Amino acid sequence: MSTRRWPTYFDSPPRRAVEGGVVVAKPGKVTDPLAVELVAAAEIESAPQILARGRTYARAGQVVAVQVAPEGFSAQIQGTGARPYEVRLDRTMISGSDRVAADCTCPYGCDNGWCKHAAALAYVAAFLLDRDPEARSEWIGQAGSAADSDASGSGTADGQGAGSTRAIPTSIAGTAVVPASALSLTAEDLAVLRSPIPARDAANLLAAAEALVPPPWEPWQGPSGEPVG
């Protein structure tokens, strides 16, 4: 993948800190075959610089609101912008081979190679596949079974039927995952944001400020005490 499209992509501003994300201390250090395959897919689809940024995001816990659906992972990833990006990884068939398709709402996108957000989700998803049997079953389209051998793909998991989306439990091997609902604004929040800003009297605000922190000189004098005017 050429870096000419976005020459400054690798030198982007510092990412915004986020709480409640999945922290992966050693991205890519997995043993489950499906997890290993997912890491390999990220390495094939991403440039080395992109992979490095994805590992950094995974270690920093930038991946939040992780959800798993049949043959797919989705998450929100906080980058440098004010709003997190929406990222998806889906198992698919391309030219008769099992592949992983990535999609992200960031400007870089995943059309000509994966972005760092997709790579970060791949590392987090592989980490979860290594530890969560239900996430593993969802990823291979066999939700409702804890093992591949006796799964039929028609069962239910946690009372959810096929085609449902399951939020990853809030605690997996010491990780914390924020549900998507926790990142949404309520009707009350929107009402407050949409309400007009109350008018303030500038003279009253200045008087209140001077009452708390009086100026070091009288208003009719300059900083050195000389008369003004």
Side-chain angles (χ1 to χ4, degrees):
M1 179 186 62
S2 172
T3 60
R4 294 179 180 177
R5 288 190 305 144
W6 296 87
T8 62
Y9 184 71
F10 305 112
D11 302 317
S12 57
R15 61 188 178 278
R16 293 172 180 251
V18 64
E19 296 181 357
V22 182
V23 178
V24 182
K26 297 180 179 180
K29 300 297 183 181
V30 291
T31 58
D32 181 271
L34 288 176
V36 172
E37 289 179 2
L38 183 53
V39 171
E43 293 174 345
I44 292 173
E45 299 290 349
S46 309
Q49 302 97 319
I50 292 290
L51 281 174
R53 296 295 297 275
R55 287 191 294 269
T56 298
Y57 272 46
R59 281 192 293 264
Q62 301 297 116
V63 183
V64 299
V66 181
Q67 294 188 341
V68 58
E71 302 188 340
F73 273 97
S74 64
Q76 294 182 347
I77 299 185
Q78 182 62 62
T80 59
R83 298 175 63 87
Y85 296 116
E86 303 285 342
V87 192
R88 283 195 58 83
L89 297 177
D90 293 292
R91 286 170 58 88
T92 185
M93 293 288 293
I94 300 178
S95 300
S97 302
D98 290 331
R99 301 284 293 274
V100 179
D103 183 67
C104 183
T105 58
C106 76
Y108 188 87
C110 299
D111 293 336
N112 298 294
W114 289 6
C115 66
K116 59 190 174 186
H117 310 109
L121 178 55
Y123 285 119
V124 167
F127 173 80
L128 296 174
L129 289 174
D130 223 26
R131 288 158 174 78
D132 184 357
E134 292 187 17
R136 190 180 193 279
S137 297
E138 291 275 9
W139 177 244
I140 61 178
Q142 295 179 337
S145 89
D148 300 344
S149 59
D150 59 358
S152 64
S154 59
T156 60
D158 296 334
Q160 296 178 332
S164 62
T165 299
R166 183 176 71 87
I168 296 295
T170 55
S171 178
I172 297 179
T175 67
V177 183
V178 178
S181 58
L183 301 179
S184 302
L185 294 175
T186 65
E188 292 76 11
D189 294 331
L190 291 174
V192 172
L193 292 174
R194 291 170 177 169
S195 60
I197 300 176
R200 301 291 185 182
D201 184 89
N204 291 339
L205 291 175
L206 180 60
E210 290 181 346
L212 292 174
V213 184
W217 59 83
E218 294 297 332
W220 57 84
Q221 294 178 332
S224 302
E226 71 277 6
V228 176

